[in-house]
Amino acid sequence: MLRLSFLKTISNNFSKNIYNNYNNFKFFTTTTTTTTTTTTTTTIENKNKIKKENENENENENEININSNKKLNSKERNILLGKSLKLKKKNEKIQSINEKMKIESDLQKNEYDKILNLDKIKLPRCTGCGSTLQTTSPKEPGYLPESIAIKHIEQLNEEKTEKIENSKPIEEQDKSGEEYNNEKKVCQRCHILKNYGRVAPVTVPIEKFKDNLSQLKDLNCLVVKVVDLMDFNGTFIEDFRDIIGRNPVIVVGNKMDILPDDIHKDRIEQWVRTEAKKRGLNHISHVKLISSTSGDGMKQFIIELEKLRKSRDVFIVGCSNVGKSTFVNTLIKEYNNRVEFTTNEKLETKKQSEPLTIQEQKDLDREKLLKSLQSKITTSVLPGTTLNLLSLPLWDNSTLFDTPGIDNPRQMIKNLTIDELKQVIPSKRIKPQLAHIIEGKSLLIGGLVRIDYDGPLATFMIYTSNSIPLHITSTQKANFIIKRHQGSLLTPPILSGSEFTLDNNNNKNQEEQEQEQKQKQKQEEEEEEEEEGEEQGNEEKQKLIEKSRQEIIEQRYKKLSQYDLEILDKFKFSQIRTFTIKPEKIDFDHTFIDLVISGLGWISIKSLSKKIKSSKLIIHTPNNIDVSLRPPLIPKTKIYSNIK
């Protein structure tokens, strides 16, 4: 009997629910038919309202069923309660997911708005060097990544709101967090210096630098001019004496470790003096040859610096890529070694008893840097200018100022990528390469320079990075070889499909490299012999040769991508310079002149003619590259390799 009564109650409730849902469905259909003329937005709102009403009614009915059915078992009631709880949990999950989606979309919109506002909002000045913070060019002063700049914008907005909300006067406000906020508002260069003890390079246009640095005339200071010995012409600032006035100057010739071993330092120092005098820099106090990477010559430089300083401030000046930042870093290390400091008690006691581990030694060095110099760096702007300087308090009575590197746009390295720079800028001691040149021959230095020679027998001693391939060919064939192999065998430039990589080239053995060079030379000699025999024939054969060459070049250019074609167009030999050279005397032991390609190296030329004759040089380079002549820096060396 109990089971029958229980089934009757369930059937009655089920029929009631069906009847109610049927009535609701009728109501829904009638409302939709009457509102066909209204807009779609109102129908959607009505649907949402009806769904909510149905859900509320179903929940109320479940509650009524639970309360009204007093004869239900505890298990049955628990089942109904579990279903209602599951429905509630599902609704709560849906609501939480919608809220999260809204929050994420709002955050993305805010970040996008902040990135758009970076160009409009003026960022504050760097608290380390005083330069205005910017996010566009990493090589200019005040560079800051965009992610950190967005945080600075948020801080600025928070500070504005705090100022509006705070009714206290400025003197009564709490300034405990100002130092922490100011420490964060530093450029990338100052951040690297303060935390890692390294000076990052920053460049400034040469015209702007000359205008700003002219204020040194009114100061009593000492100037250190850093020059790259591999590119003296390209890194020497013209009219330097007019810029700095009567202040004493020490000229530092950097990258001494790149030159051959058998050079005479005294002669090179005298050569630097005479060349600087020709360029208007008279009365040089000292000339010092150093190596910033190895530290050779730094102690002698510091001795001369201490003699001339006399409680005066010191300004370090130099072009970009001369190793000025490395020079400053090694100078800081030399002075740090003389500064006394206290370490942690644990490490100090361990130092007396046991040797330190590598990590502990690094921690000691880091603590030493922070306690000695990096913690004392201040903002320094040259008076009356916008030139931002880095102030390093090496001494108690004077300061060392590091100026931004000067950008010379007429250097070859300004057109190169990072991989190409690794190939062009030598990282170890170079071994000059000797080539015998006769009339009608051309020398190709990678895919960057072509030198046509017209004159008696001569030797070219080539001082460039040993990673750059060199090739000698006939002048008639030079244009075809460049168009056929520029970017592939003749690198730089390095195209996307180039076989050359610096890592693979360094990993190869000398024997493998020599074998490859011999194979290439045999192929080229065979091609030259065939073409010379054909060129001695009639004009029709020559025309056929030219057509075949054009077809080869056209086929190559069709296979290249648009990116590679743009690179080849960038390194097109659109600049042609012509020089006529003549030795003063007959000398078979020493070179008489240097041909300099700025940012690449130089070629020291020696005539082997028994008579004094003039020669003609035609140099093909990309546009806006400085090419010049000068007296030989190294007239004689016994360390070289021959180009066959």
Side-chain angles (χ1 to χ4, degrees):
M1 295 296 289
L2 291 169
R3 289 182 180 177
L4 290 170
S5 61
F6 176 71
L7 292 169
K8 285 180 181 180
T9 53
I10 290 170
S11 62
N12 291 326
N13 291 327
F14 183 73
S15 61
K16 285 179 183 179
N17 289 329
I18 292 168
Y19 181 75
N20 290 327
N21 290 326
Y22 179 73
N23 290 329
N24 289 329
F25 180 74
K26 272 186 175 181
F27 177 74
F28 178 73
T29 52
T30 53
T31 52
T32 51
T33 53
T34 54
T35 58
T36 51
T37 56
T38 59
T39 59
T40 57
T41 56
T42 56
T43 57
I44 292 165
E45 290 176 357
N46 289 326
K47 286 180 182 180
N48 292 327
K49 286 179 182 179
I50 290 160
K51 285 180 182 179
K52 287 180 180 179
E53 288 174 1
N54 289 327
E55 289 174 0
N56 292 325
E57 286 177 4
N58 290 325
E59 288 178 1
N60 293 326
E61 285 174 1
N62 289 326
E63 290 176 358
I64 291 163
N65 290 328
I66 292 165
N67 295 322
S68 62
N69 296 325
K70 295 180 180 180
K71 296 179 180 180
L72 291 175
N73 294 328
S74 61
K75 290 182 179 180
E76 294 168 350
R77 288 182 181 179
N78 290 330
I79 290 166
L80 293 173
L81 287 170
K83 288 181 179 179
S84 62
L85 290 171
K86 284 181 181 179
L87 289 171
K88 286 181 181 180
K89 286 180 180 179
K90 284 182 181 179
N91 293 326
E92 288 175 357
K93 284 182 181 179
I94 291 165
Q95 288 178 359
S96 64
I97 290 165
N98 290 329
E99 288 176 357
K100 286 180 181 178
M101 293 291 287
K102 286 180 181 179
I103 291 164
E104 288 177 357
S105 62
D106 292 336
L107 289 172
Q108 288 177 356
K109 286 179 181 179
N110 291 330
E111 289 179 359
Y112 184 68
D113 293 335
K114 287 171 188 174
I115 292 165
L116 290 175
N117 290 327
L118 283 176
D119 297 332
K120 299 177 182 178
I121 296 172
K122 290 184 179 180
L123 293 168
R125 285 182 174 272
C126 173
T127 57
C129 62
S131 57
T132 304
L133 297 174
Q134 50 89 16
T135 59
T136 54
S137 53
K139 292 184 179 181
E140 291 184 3
Y143 173 72
L144 195 70
E146 288 186 356
S147 59
I148 299 170
I150 289 167
K151 292 180 181 179
H152 288 324
I153 292 169
E154 290 176 355
Q155 289 179 1
L156 289 171
N157 293 329
E158 288 176 1
E159 288 174 1
K160 287 179 182 179
T161 54
E162 285 177 0
K163 286 180 181 179
I164 293 166
E165 291 175 358
N166 281 328
S167 59
K168 293 181 181 181
I170 296 169
E171 296 176 355
E172 296 179 1
Q173 290 180 7
D174 186 13
K175 297 183 180 180
S176 60
E178 284 187 3
E179 293 180 359
Y180 178 72
N181 290 328
N182 288 333
E183 285 179 1
K184 286 188 174 182
K185 295 175 184 177
V186 293
C187 64
Q188 192 178 51
R189 186 190 185 206
C190 294
H191 173 75
I192 292 169
L193 180 63
K194 286 187 176 181
N195 293 294
Y196 302 100
R198 293 186 290 105
V199 177
V202 177
T203 58
V204 171
I206 189 166
E207 295 178 356
K208 182 180 178 181
F209 180 85
K210 286 181 178 180
D211 294 336
N212 292 330
L213 204 66
S214 61
Q215 300 296 323
L216 291 178
K217 291 179 182 178
D218 303 328
L219 300 176
N220 183 16
C221 61
L222 175 64
V223 180
V224 178
K225 181 179 174 61
V226 184
V227 179
D228 185 2
L229 292 175
M230 283 295 295
D231 189 15
F232 182 85
N233 293 31
T235 58
F236 193 94
I237 305 165
E238 300 292 339
D239 303 326
F240 193 69
R241 179 57 70 184
D242 296 335
I243 297 170
I244 63 171
R246 296 182 178 180
N247 290 315
V249 179
I250 299 176
V251 178
V252 175
N254 196 14
K255 300 184 182 180
M256 189 68 185
D257 57 328
I258 301 297
L259 301 179
D261 283 327
D262 61 343
I263 57 174
H264 299 284
K265 292 184 179 180
D266 295 335
R267 191 200 170 280
I268 291 176
E269 287 179 359
Q270 187 60 38
W271 182 89
V272 171
R273 283 181 181 274
T274 54
E275 288 298 311
K277 191 175 181 180
K278 289 179 183 178
R279 291 166 171 79
L281 185 57
N282 299 320
H283 308 293
I284 298 173
S285 300
H286 288 287
V287 175
K288 290 296 173 186
L289 306 179
I290 66 159
S291 171
S292 297
T293 54
S294 63
D296 294 338
M298 287 300 296
K299 292 180 180 179
Q300 292 79 2
F301 167 76
I302 289 172
I303 291 168
E304 299 298 335
L305 179 66
E306 292 295 334
K307 288 179 182 178
L308 288 172
R309 189 170 58 83
K310 297 178 181 179
S311 302
R312 291 182 290 193
D313 292 332
V314 180
F315 289 82
I316 298 177
V317 182
C319 290
S320 57
N321 297 310
V322 298
K324 186 173 65 67
S325 299
T326 311
F327 169 73
V328 174
N329 291 326
T330 52
L331 189 64
I332 289 170
K333 288 179 183 177
E334 289 292 332
Y335 275 97
N336 277 335
N337 292 330
R338 302 182 181 186
V339 178
E340 295 181 357
F341 67 101
T342 58
T343 60
N344 295 328
E345 293 180 357
K346 293 181 181 179
L347 293 176
E348 193 171 0
T349 54
K350 188 174 181 181
K351 187 177 179 181
Q352 294 175 359
S353 60
E354 299 176 1
L356 298 175
T357 62
I358 296 170
Q359 186 62 38
E360 288 172 349
Q361 188 64 42
K362 287 181 180 179
D363 294 336
L364 283 172
D365 294 337
R366 183 179 176 82
E367 186 180 0
K368 183 178 179 180
L369 286 172
L370 293 173
K371 287 187 176 182
S372 59
L373 290 175
Q374 273 65 37
S375 59
K376 299 178 183 178
I377 294 169
T378 57
T379 302
S380 300
V381 180
L382 197 63
T385 69
T386 58
L387 184 64
N388 305 114
L389 309 178
L390 198 63
S391 175
L392 302 169
L394 292 177
W395 311 279
D396 295 332
N397 52 6
S398 60
T399 307
L400 177 72
F401 294 98
D402 179 29
T403 62
I406 306 161
D407 189 16
N408 184 6
R410 294 182 64 83
Q411 290 178 300
M412 182 71 77
I413 55 177
K414 301 302 176 186
N415 299 326
L416 304 179
T417 61
I418 294 171
D419 292 332
E420 292 165 351
L421 285 172
K422 290 178 182 178
Q423 187 182 359
V424 169
I425 298 175
S427 59
K428 58 183 180 180
R429 195 178 297 278
I430 63 170
K431 190 175 183 180
Q433 301 183 61
L434 179 66
H436 290 80
I437 306 294
I438 59 174
E439 185 177 356
K441 291 290 183 179
S442 296
L443 172 66
L444 306 180
I445 304 175
L448 300 175
V449 180
R450 168 189 164 188
I451 302 170
D452 299 336
Y453 180 73
D454 185 7
L457 178 64
T459 60
F460 284 13
M461 190 70 75
I462 304 153
Y463 292 87
T464 58
S465 174
N466 295 123
S467 299
I468 302 174
L470 304 176
H471 180 68
I472 299 170
T473 185
S474 62
T475 304
Q476 294 179 353
K477 194 182 175 184
N479 190 27
F480 168 68
I481 290 174
I482 288 166
K483 289 183 177 179
R484 186 179 181 182
H485 298 296
Q486 188 181 26
S488 57
L489 294 176
L490 298 174
T491 57
I494 301 173
L495 301 182
S496 59
S498 176
E499 297 176 357
F500 176 84
T501 55
L502 190 62
D503 295 332
N504 293 333
N505 191 33
N506 292 330
N507 293 329
K508 286 181 181 178
N509 296 325
Q510 291 182 356
E511 294 179 357
E512 293 178 357
Q513 291 179 6
E514 289 177 358
Q515 288 178 0
E516 288 179 359
Q517 288 179 359
K518 287 179 181 179
Q519 289 177 359
K520 289 179 182 178
Q521 286 173 3
K522 285 181 181 179
Q523 291 176 0
E524 290 165 0
E525 286 175 0
E526 289 175 0
E527 289 177 359
E528 285 180 1
E529 288 176 359
E530 290 177 0
E531 290 180 358
E532 284 176 1
E534 291 176 353
E535 286 173 359
Q536 290 175 0
N538 54 17
E539 294 180 356
E540 292 181 357
K541 289 183 179 180
Q542 291 180 1
K543 289 179 180 179
L544 291 171
I545 291 166
E546 289 178 359
K547 284 183 180 180
S548 64
R549 287 177 179 176
Q550 287 179 359
E551 288 176 358
I552 292 167
I553 293 166
E554 287 176 359
Q555 288 176 2
R556 190 209 176 195
Y557 277 46
K558 285 179 182 179
K559 294 178 182 179
L560 294 175
S561 63
Q562 185 64 31
Y563 176 75
D564 291 339
L565 290 172
E566 289 176 359
I567 291 172
L568 292 177
D569 186 63
K570 180 182 177 182
F571 288 93
K572 187 178 179 181
F573 291 166
S574 56
Q575 177 179 293
I576 300 173
R577 296 288 305 276
T578 304
F579 297 99
T580 302
I581 57 175
K582 187 177 181 181
E584 295 179 356
K585 60 181 181 179
I586 298 171
D587 188 357
F588 297 149
D589 294 330
H590 301 87
T591 59
F592 69 95
I593 201 164
D594 285 350
L595 174 65
V596 182
I597 296 97
S598 182
L600 189 63
W602 74 92
I603 298 98
S604 194
I605 302 170
K606 178 174 64 178
S607 178
L608 298 179
S609 176
K610 294 181 180 180
K611 296 180 180 180
I612 298 173
K613 294 181 179 180
S614 60
S615 303
K616 188 178 181 181
L617 298 171
I618 302 172
I619 298 92
H620 306 257
T621 61
N623 197 19
N624 198 28
I625 301 298
D626 189 13
V627 181
S628 59
L629 299 174
R630 71 181 186 193
L633 175 64
I634 305 173
K636 185 177 180 180
T637 180
K638 295 180 180 179
I639 301 172
Y640 61 87
S641 60
N642 291 311
I643 301 174
K644 295 181 181 180

